[in-house]
Amino acid sequence: MIRAIAVIVALFCVAPALAQQKLPAGLDPENTLLIDTTQGRIVVKLRNDIAPKHAERIKTLAREKFYDNVPFHRVIAGFMAQTGDGQNGNGTGGSKYPDLQAEFSNVPYKRGIVGMARKGGNNNSANSQFFIMYADGPALNGQYTAIGEVASGMDVVDKIKKGSEMANGAVTDPDKIVRIQVAADAK
């Protein structure tokens, strides 16, 4: 009995360390997202150094399980894959929290950069939705808040079902986020 308890305690203590060991080198578990999708895992390094309010919002929503089972509702081949509408699932919703003020930086929008989506031309309307770049998008530089970059799993991003060009990237029967975890909390 005592041995069984010792094994359970050891597993409980080692599990978080094992989750952290699987991270690419140099990542801070508190500022790393594990995005499990229907296509596999994407690991994102959050840039809390340039967008602290946006990074905190994504972590808060992940911890509240807001992103669980949320579709990649807008996916444009050669451009980006957008998700994060845990309210409506179609790109029209946000979260229970207020919109965020822009935190623009000089980080160039290139393949693997994660940016916050916003409503129309309102720079201060980012809320819960984000996108991952498939390719360089210099027209977005300084226009959207960059919140991170893919540290591993771009092959997974590449597999996400693309939307119709005729429908501005809207996806029929889309791939989904199964769950997002902050790596420090991973189980």
Side-chain angles (χ1 to χ4, degrees):
M1 177 74 166
I2 293 174
R3 183 180 167 125
I5 292 171
V7 169
I8 291 169
V9 169
L11 288 173
F12 182 78
C13 293
V14 171
L18 290 175
Q20 291 173 7
Q21 289 175 356
K22 295 178 183 180
L23 293 178
L27 294 182
D28 170 12
E30 185 58 37
N31 289 296
T32 301
L33 296 178
L34 306 177
I35 304 175
D36 293 317
T37 74
T38 49
Q39 292 294 337
R41 176 171 278 183
I42 304 163
V43 178
V44 172
K45 173 187 176 183
L46 289 176
R47 294 292 309 270
N48 65 321
D49 58 323
I50 59 170
K53 292 177 183 167
H54 288 75
E56 190 59 37
R57 170 67 57 82
I58 296 290
K59 292 189 303 184
T60 296
L61 292 172
R63 286 176 166 139
E64 292 176 357
K65 302 186 183 315
F66 178 83
Y67 294 116
D68 291 5
N69 206 35
V70 172
F72 284 89
H73 64 270
R74 184 172 178 235
V75 184
I76 301 173
F79 182 41
M80 61 86 204
Q82 185 171 331
T83 186
D85 180 359
Q87 189 175 55
N88 301 324
N90 62 7
T92 62
S95 71
K96 65 183 180 183
Y97 299 106
D99 291 344
L100 295 164
Q101 295 291 307
E103 293 179 295
F104 295 156
S105 68
N106 61 0
V107 170
Y109 274 84
K110 60 183 182 174
R111 179 172 167 79
I113 291 295
V114 181
M116 287 296 282
R118 57 183 171 80
K119 299 172 197 134
N122 183 352
N123 290 342
N124 300 313
S125 62
N127 191 292
S128 64
Q129 296 184 45
F130 60 93
F131 58 90
I132 303 170
M133 298 296 293
Y134 281 121
D136 294 355
L140 303 182
N141 293 349
Q143 304 296 313
Y144 290 82
T145 298
I147 58 163
E149 57 191 284
V150 174
S152 68
M154 272 309 292
D155 58 323
V156 174
V157 178
D158 289 336
K159 293 176 192 173
I160 294 170
K161 184 178 179 184
K162 310 303 182 279
S164 165
E165 288 183 38
M166 300 296 287
N168 196 25
V171 184
T172 302
D173 191 28
D175 282 309
K176 295 182 178 184
I177 293 172
V178 176
R179 72 176 175 176
I180 296 181
Q181 298 178 86
V182 177
D185 305 338
K187 295 178 181 172

